Amino acid sequence: EAQVTQNPRYLITVTGKKLTVTCSQNMNHEYMSWYRQDPGLGLRQIYYSMNVEVTDKGDVPEGYKVSRKEKRNFPLILESPSPNQTSLYFCASSPTPQGAGIQYFGAGTRLSVL
Amino acid sequence: GEDVEQSLFLSVREGDSSVINCTYTDSSSTYLYWYKQEPGAGLQLLTYIFSNMDMKQDQRLTVLLNKKDKHLSLRIADTQTGDSAIYFCAERASNTGKLIFGQGTTLQVKP
């Protein structure tokens, strides 16, 4: 089954404790992306990747890192989480950045930083 | 800059039609999308429309695009309680592939 898998689904952590949210897709998609969803703001892009070893900042990259060592995986790293990073995070992938580029979304990771 | 605007809330009765509206600013967008988010779930693509189309129909869903006014709407015919969700309008930035989302419209369907 074609899917985007995020882990964990829920995470509560404390300020400053490094964490990683994993994202994996099994569709051989070139394009992957991370968004955060906050009430009243919709979804905003954090980072994206056009292909392996190619990553770039989205609209709200501060406090986040990503890597794309393999095509299927695109982890989101919070080196020193802060309470303003409490949010709902979504990973997405699509075949290419161009064209209809339908993006498939993971189920989301709800993060609370205390 | 890029911006997508939606009203935040819509309430309808079961069996009525729902119309969710959206305005966008990036005239170079070639595709516009509607996503649905049910409580506790991720985003599900409902439909999308290419910018050279005025209308697209898919079963109970009708998308209308007014490119001159940069206005997009989603009509759901015979709305059911299972349609209760948040609906997001989005356009895709042609250079980065980024999806630019509106704030989301919460659709409440009353029995």
Side-chain angles (χ1 to χ4, degrees), chain A residues 9-10 31 35 37 40-43 45 48 50 59 88 90 94 96-108, chain B residues 2 8 30-31 33 35 37 40-45 48 86 88 92-104:
Chain A
R9 291 290 314 279
Y10 303 92
Y31 185 89
Y35 296 87
Q37 181 181 8
L41 296 176
L43 282 81
Q45 191 183 53
Y48 66 96
M50 297 275 198
D59 293 323
L88 179 58
F90 289 102
S94 69
T96 68
Q98 290 80 31
I102 296 165
Q103 294 201 16
Y104 298 83
F105 282 79
Chain B
E2 309 150 332
L8 294 181
T30 51
Y31 291 92
Y33 306 84
Y35 280 85
Q37 184 181 34
L43 274 75
Q44 171 197 354
L45 179 68
Y48 66 95
I86 304 175
F88 290 95
R92 190 165 202 193
S94 53
N95 53 347
T96 67
K98 173 178 69 175
L99 281 175
I100 302 151
F101 287 88
Q103 307 95 315

Side-chain angles (χ1 to χ4, degrees), chain B residues 3-108:
Chain B
D3 196 18
V4 178
E5 297 280 339
Q6 297 177 242
S7 54
L8 294 181
F9 187 78
L10 176 66
S11 181
V12 301
R13 293 221 169 268
E14 193 172 17
D16 288 349
S17 291
S18 308
V19 180
I20 302 171
N21 294 301
C22 169
T23 57
Y24 61 97
T25 57
D26 186 0
S27 58
S28 68
S29 292
T30 51
Y31 291 92
L32 296 136
Y33 306 84
W34 284 103
Y35 280 85
K36 177 183 180 182
Q37 184 181 34
E38 295 181 358
L43 274 75
Q44 171 197 354
L45 179 68
L46 279 180
T47 186
Y48 66 95
I49 188 168
F50 187 48
S51 61
N52 69 352
M53 298 168 66
D54 298 324
M55 185 183 89
K56 181 178 180 181
Q57 186 151 7
D58 183 3
Q59 298 181 341
R60 292 191 296 122
L61 304 178
T62 303
V63 179
L64 294 177
L65 175 60
N66 181 329
K67 198 172 180 185
K68 175 175 165 289
D69 295 337
K70 300 194 185 78
H71 183 265
L72 184 72
S73 68
L74 174 70
R75 180 177 179 268
I76 305 172
D78 186 25
T79 313
Q80 303 297 307
T81 53
D83 294 324
S84 294
I86 304 175
Y87 291 81
F88 290 95
C89 166
E91 59 176 342
R92 190 165 202 193
S94 53
N95 53 347
T96 67
K98 173 178 69 175
L99 281 175
I100 302 151
F101 287 88
Q103 307 95 315
T105 299
T106 298
L107 175 64
Q108 178 188 66

Side-chain angles (χ1 to χ4, degrees), chain A residues 19-102:
Chain A
L19 65 93
T20 300
V21 184
T22 63
C23 174
S24 180
Q25 49 93 4
N26 62 0
M27 297 169 278
N28 202 36
H29 285 171
E30 290 182 3
Y31 185 89
M32 296 186 76
S33 180
W34 277 102
Y35 296 87
R36 61 177 286 174
Q37 181 181 8
D38 301 290
L41 296 176
L43 282 81
R44 294 175 293 167
Q45 191 183 53
I46 302 170
Y47 267 95
Y48 66 96
S49 170
M50 297 275 198
N51 214 324
V52 176
E53 302 290 5
V54 181
T55 64
D56 212 340
K57 296 178 181 178
D59 293 323
V60 287
E62 293 77 22
Y64 304 95
K65 282 173 55 177
V66 292
S67 70
R68 188 90 182 274
K69 294 188 173 64
E70 310 161 277
K71 204 169 190 179
R72 63 182 292 127
N73 295 323
F74 190 45
L76 179 70
I77 303 151
L78 284 73
E79 294 270 4
S80 182
S82 61
N84 66 9
Q85 292 178 297
T86 293
S87 188
L88 179 58
Y89 292 86
F90 289 102
C91 180
S93 73
S94 69
T96 68
Q98 290 80 31
I102 296 165

